[in-house]
């Protein structure tokens, strides 16, 4: 399973037309290795050059067919990354408040974050703006872990007549549509196998 996911992500990051589905969901029982797969993908994207020259590099390239080349950015979001109520104070001096704020900052730094800062601070979905961020940062890998848990906390944060959970779900749809438009973008999200894993 790990090999199959890694092969799909390598093809997606390459930007090939035959990359197939570039938005993957991992769904296994609790303790089934979802987070371990995300960690392996992070290393694959961030350290492909090191892996290529490592002792196991040849074997890894044989198994996967290839290793990614020049991945520009990687973003990771977990339910612990950015508290739904308090947000997160970042080392760059930015106080992110949403999933889209975190992704924009991690993918493109402060400059790209500024493009959606108003949406992040207001906790409203950046309608149609995220495709530009993906274009500027591709090839890129986005890892989303335990988003369902985050949405439980976000459901108590009011945003206008809705909640931050509603805004987050709307953004995930926007994000997947944007990713389909931009070659070289891969998104991997973990989903709980049952409601018992969520809260």
């Amino acid at each position: 399973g790990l090999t199959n996911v890694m092969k799909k992500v390598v093809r997606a990051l390459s930007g090939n037309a035959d990359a197939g589905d570039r938005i993957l969901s991992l769904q296994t029982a609790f303790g089934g290795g979802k987070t371990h797969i995300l960690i392996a993908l992070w290393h694959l994207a961030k350290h492909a050059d090191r892996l290529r020259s490592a002792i196991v590099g040849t074997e890894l390239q044989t198994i996967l067919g290839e290793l990614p080349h020049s991945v520009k950015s990687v973003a990771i979001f977990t339910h612990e990354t950015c508290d739904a109520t308090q947000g997160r104070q970042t080392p760059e001096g930015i106080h992110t408040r949403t999933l889209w704020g975190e992704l924009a900052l991690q993918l493109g730094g402060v400059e790209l974050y500024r493009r959606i800062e108003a949406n992040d601070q207001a906790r409203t979905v950046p309608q149609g703006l995220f495709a530009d961020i993906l274009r500027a940062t591709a090839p890129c890998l986005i890892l989303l872990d335990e988003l369902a848990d985050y949405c439980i906390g976000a459901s108590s944060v009011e945003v206008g007549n809705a909640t931050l959970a509603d805004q987050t779900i709307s953004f995930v749809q926007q994000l997947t549509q944007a990713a389909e438009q931009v070659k070289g973008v891969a998104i991997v999200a973990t989903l709980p196998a049952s409601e018992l894993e969520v809260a």
Side-chain angles (χ1 to χ4, degrees), residues 75-79 81-84 87 96-107 113 116 119-120 123 126 130 142-145 147 150-151 154 164-165 167-173 175:
I76 304 153
F77 188 90
T78 76
H79 63 293
T81 303
C82 182
D83 181 78
T96 60
R97 299 195 172 276
T98 63
L99 168 61
W100 46 96
E102 276 290 324
L103 295 183
L105 184 64
Q106 289 184 37
L107 289 172
Y113 170 79
I116 62 153
N119 298 90
D120 180 50
R123 294 180 168 149
F130 224 79
I142 297 172
L143 304 172
L144 306 174
D145 194 21
L147 199 54
Y150 173 79
C151 283
L164 181 56
Q167 295 288 326
T168 301
I169 292 165
S170 177
F171 172 71
V172 169
Q173 181 178 355
L175 177 63

